[in-house]
Amino acid sequence: MNKWWGFLFSLWLLSGCAPQYETRYAFTPPASTAGLSCLNSCETQSRTCNLQCNLQYGQCSAKAEQQAKVELPAKLSEYDTRLAVWQREMERYETDLRFYEMELRQRELQHDLRRLTCNRDGKESASCLHHHTLLNGLPLLSEPRRPDKMPEKPTLTGETARIRDLSCSNECQCDAQYRQCYTSCGGAVKPYQFCVENCPK
């Protein structure tokens, strides 16, 4: 089992240090004049696609902000409820922790006192035997469990970002459309892997 975990750990280390690649493209323009002229329309289509994509994303982002403004009061009310519960749990935890620390100190003092008595009277004395009996019979103390971290207060910025991530996308495939147009004009598009992180020297 230990060898198996060691193997997995080694793989994890190697994956963290392994080179990271991304796909890029090499463009070879067409040889004909008509093909080169055709590329102009590809450029125009690509610019139009990107403008429309950015416009749609901006409109979606504006809608996300409006939706966040509508939903924020309910989110804040829910946050107030969770915060009140957390505060009560935190107060109970702090009280329990004080009692736990007091009991711990009390036990330590009793232990030290009984140990001194045992040392004074000898290991075979009644006080020493009684001391060991008490130590073995004491219930274990469990440290109180600290509550989870305080709930985070929702904000308009955070809620807008959350809704935008769920409903908006700026992946419009404009680059893929451009590559397709490029090849239809007689050009060549060749993908290759480009190292972006942990690159070999």
Side-chain angles (χ1 to χ4, degrees):
M1 182 61 73
N2 289 336
K3 290 182 179 179
W4 174 247
W5 283 113
F7 174 72
L8 290 177
F9 183 70
S10 299
L11 283 180
W12 178 77
L13 285 177
L14 288 173
S15 65
C17 300
Q20 304 295 315
Y21 294 90
E22 69 177 19
T23 302
R24 295 189 178 182
Y25 298 89
F27 293 85
T28 305
S32 66
T33 305
L36 292 173
S37 178
C38 177
L39 292 183
N40 292 330
S41 65
C42 296
E43 296 285 350
T44 302
Q45 290 174 15
S46 180
R47 284 194 297 270
T48 302
C49 178
N50 281 298
L51 284 172
Q52 290 177 345
C53 184
N54 291 334
L55 179 62
Q56 290 171 359
Y57 185 75
Q59 291 172 342
C60 186
S61 296
K63 288 180 180 178
E65 184 176 2
Q66 292 302 316
Q67 185 178 343
K69 287 178 179 178
V70 172
E71 295 182 4
L72 188 59
K75 295 283 184 182
L76 287 171
S77 177
E78 181 184 337
Y79 160 77
D80 289 339
T81 302
R82 292 202 319 271
L83 181 63
V85 170
W86 180 85
Q87 287 172 335
R88 287 195 297 271
E89 290 177 350
M90 196 66 186
E91 289 170 2
R92 185 166 58 248
Y93 163 74
E94 289 171 349
T95 301
D96 291 345
L97 185 63
R98 283 195 295 271
F99 279 111
Y100 166 80
E101 290 172 344
M102 288 171 57
E103 177 67 19
L104 206 57
R105 283 195 296 270
Q106 183 70 19
R107 289 190 180 195
E108 288 171 352
L109 288 171
Q110 290 175 353
H111 177 269
D112 291 341
L113 180 60
R114 287 168 182 155
R115 182 172 52 80
L116 288 172
T117 305
C118 183
N119 290 339
R120 183 194 66 196
D121 297 342
K123 292 184 178 180
E124 301 302 324
S125 65
S127 60
C128 194
L129 293 173
H130 183 61
H131 169 53
H132 286 296
T133 303
L134 285 174
L135 284 179
N136 293 331
L138 284 175
L140 292 175
L141 278 180
S142 297
E143 185 173 351
R145 178 182 170 276
R146 185 182 182 88
D148 296 331
K149 65 178 182 177
M150 184 173 67
E152 188 174 342
K153 186 175 183 179
T155 62
L156 179 61
T157 301
E159 286 303 299
T160 300
R162 181 184 65 81
I163 295 170
R164 183 173 57 236
D165 289 344
L166 290 173
S167 57
C168 302
S169 173
N170 57 358
E171 296 293 329
C172 299
Q173 302 298 319
C174 297
D175 291 341
Q177 292 176 19
Y178 176 76
R179 292 194 296 272
Q180 185 177 0
C181 182
Y182 198 96
T183 55
S184 69
C185 290
V189 179
K190 184 178 180 181
Y192 64 95
Q193 296 299 303
F194 183 83
C195 184
V196 293
E197 192 174 347
N198 298 325
C199 304
K201 296 179 180 179

